[in-house]
Amino acid sequence: MHTMWKGSISFGLVNIPIKLHAATENKDIKLRQLHGKCNSPIEYKKRCPVCEEEVKNEEIVKAYEYAKNKFVVLDEEDLKNLKKEQEDKAVEILDFVKLEEIDPIYFERSYFISPNSGGNKAYGLLREALEDTGKIGIAKIIIRSKEQLAILRVYKNTLLMETIHYPDEVRDVGEVPNVPEQTDLSKKEMKTAVALIDELTAEFEPEKYTDEYRTALLELIEAKRNNEEVTTAKEKKRPDNVTDLMEALEKSLDESKNKKKVAPKKAAPKKKASKKSSTKKKSS
């Protein structure tokens, strides 16, 4: 399993060297966009609308837009130093709480925690202590340049870290439109609804829930492949610079010759009469 973060967990004087591994994966089927005319993949280029030119990665700087078209530019070196300063910190457990005190709306992503070299005993100690007390740890960690709030808990004999949203990242429920304050319901309606819930109540078995759309889409793709309903993108023509240069030179030469052939001949300039000849004419 790929290690995506290395560091340590600390609570009190106990320090546990650890590794983080993504506990979940996105199984969405990614579809490419092709040009319908030739079935070639569409390219996306970074372009400056003012300079009207394509922008290279090394020409891009990061900035914060504090007002419309007003920016504070941040140096890459400053961001690197800030990131390094924060990443050097250990994952410090701030508090221990009960899991049921946290509403699921706060949960974000899950990571399996494995002990790094020399951390087996301390890892086992934290795992057993959490199991024994029925508590979870609240901690902070820097992942991908963002300080995350997280919880540490036990999942099937393994320590699990789940990043959670900060309170100001959860929107105010009072802003949800058209939510009725109270509804007039009869006892019969309530009784029927409760009976229906009781009828559909079951033990949670995650294996029985599947992504039916993804399954159907994969079957459709496979069926088209088997029927050879496939297409191959045309290869982008890569011009030979030498050939292009020769063609351009020969073309320019031909155009130059044609211009000379077509160009009208200039009339010869008239010769000016000499002084002697003009004097003779006057005397005669």
Side-chain angles (χ1 to χ4, degrees):
M1 192 176 283
H2 175 68
T3 300
M4 52 91 48
W5 190 90
K6 289 181 181 179
S8 61
I9 295 173
S10 67
F11 65 105
L13 299 177
V14 179
N15 189 277
I16 313 167
I18 62 157
K19 297 177 183 178
L20 285 189
H21 317 273
T24 59
E25 58 182 326
N26 190 337
K27 293 252 180 147
D28 286 349
I29 299 170
K30 295 180 180 177
L31 302 178
R32 294 289 304 275
Q33 291 185 326
L34 307 181
H35 182 197
K37 185 178 179 180
C38 64
N39 291 324
S40 298
I42 301 297
E43 292 182 351
Y44 295 93
K45 295 182 179 179
K46 296 173 182 176
R47 191 171 179 277
C48 175
V50 176
C51 300
E52 295 186 344
E53 61 183 34
E54 189 178 343
V55 182
K56 298 176 181 177
N57 286 337
E58 56 267 24
E59 297 176 318
I60 296 174
V61 297
K62 293 180 180 178
Y64 174 75
E65 187 174 11
Y66 64 92
K68 183 68 175 178
N69 288 329
K70 301 287 185 181
F71 301 94
V72 175
V73 176
L74 301 169
D75 294 333
E76 198 64 36
E77 194 63 32
D78 292 337
L79 293 173
K80 281 182 181 177
N81 291 337
L82 186 62
K83 180 182 175 184
K84 183 69 170 63
E85 179 186 330
Q86 297 298 321
E87 284 183 341
D88 285 343
K89 294 180 180 179
V91 181
E92 183 182 0
I93 297 179
L94 308 172
D95 298 297
F96 290 96
V97 301
K98 292 181 178 179
L99 180 60
E100 54 267 27
E101 293 176 356
I102 302 176
D103 192 280
I105 196 172
Y106 286 96
F107 296 143
E108 190 176 9
R109 296 203 64 180
S110 303
Y111 301 91
F112 290 131
I113 302 173
S114 67
N116 209 342
S117 55
N120 283 9
K121 188 172 183 179
Y123 182 96
L125 173 65
L126 178 58
R127 180 184 60 193
E128 301 305 318
L130 291 176
E131 281 274 37
D132 189 58
T133 59
K135 300 287 180 64
I136 63 169
I138 303 289
K140 283 186 178 181
I141 182 174
I142 298 286
I143 300 179
R144 297 189 182 95
S145 303
K146 181 184 177 183
E147 185 178 70
Q148 302 257 200
L149 197 60
I151 67 164
L152 298 173
R153 66 184 181 92
V154 180
Y155 175 79
K156 296 184 178 180
N157 203 41
T158 300
L159 286 178
L160 179 79
M161 175 181 288
E162 291 188 79
T163 55
I164 61 177
H165 294 289
Y166 285 98
D168 61 355
E169 293 178 318
V170 178
R171 290 177 174 173
D172 183 3
V173 69
E175 296 177 3
V176 181
N178 304 321
V179 176
E181 289 293 330
Q182 288 183 338
T183 50
D184 295 326
L185 299 170
S186 67
K187 289 183 179 181
K188 186 177 180 180
E189 288 171 329
M190 276 297 297
K191 188 176 179 181
T192 305
V194 170
L196 179 59
I197 291 173
D198 289 339
E199 183 68 26
L200 296 175
T201 298
E203 292 288 330
F204 178 58
E205 298 174 16
E207 295 79 13
K208 75 177 185 181
Y209 305 105
T210 57
D211 187 338
E212 295 178 9
Y213 173 77
R214 187 181 73 197
T215 303
L217 183 55
L218 283 172
E219 288 174 353
L220 175 63
I221 292 169
E222 193 60 31
K224 284 182 171 288
R225 280 187 60 194
N226 293 335
N227 293 331
E228 296 186 355
E229 296 179 45
V230 296
T231 184
T232 303
K234 294 180 180 179
E235 289 190 12
K236 188 177 179 181
K237 292 181 180 179
R238 300 187 179 278
D240 186 339
N241 291 336
V242 177
T243 305
D244 276 9
L245 180 60
M246 285 303 299
E247 286 179 358
L249 289 171
E250 288 173 356
K251 189 176 180 181
S252 299
L253 185 61
D254 290 340
E255 287 179 356
S256 179
K257 287 179 180 179
N258 291 333
K259 283 180 182 178
K260 285 183 179 180
K261 288 179 182 178
V262 176
K265 292 182 179 179
K266 293 181 180 179
K270 293 181 178 180
K271 291 183 179 179
K272 292 181 180 181
S274 62
K275 288 183 179 180
K276 287 183 179 181
S277 60
S278 61
T279 309
K280 285 179 181 179
K281 285 180 182 179
K282 286 180 181 179
S283 59
S284 59

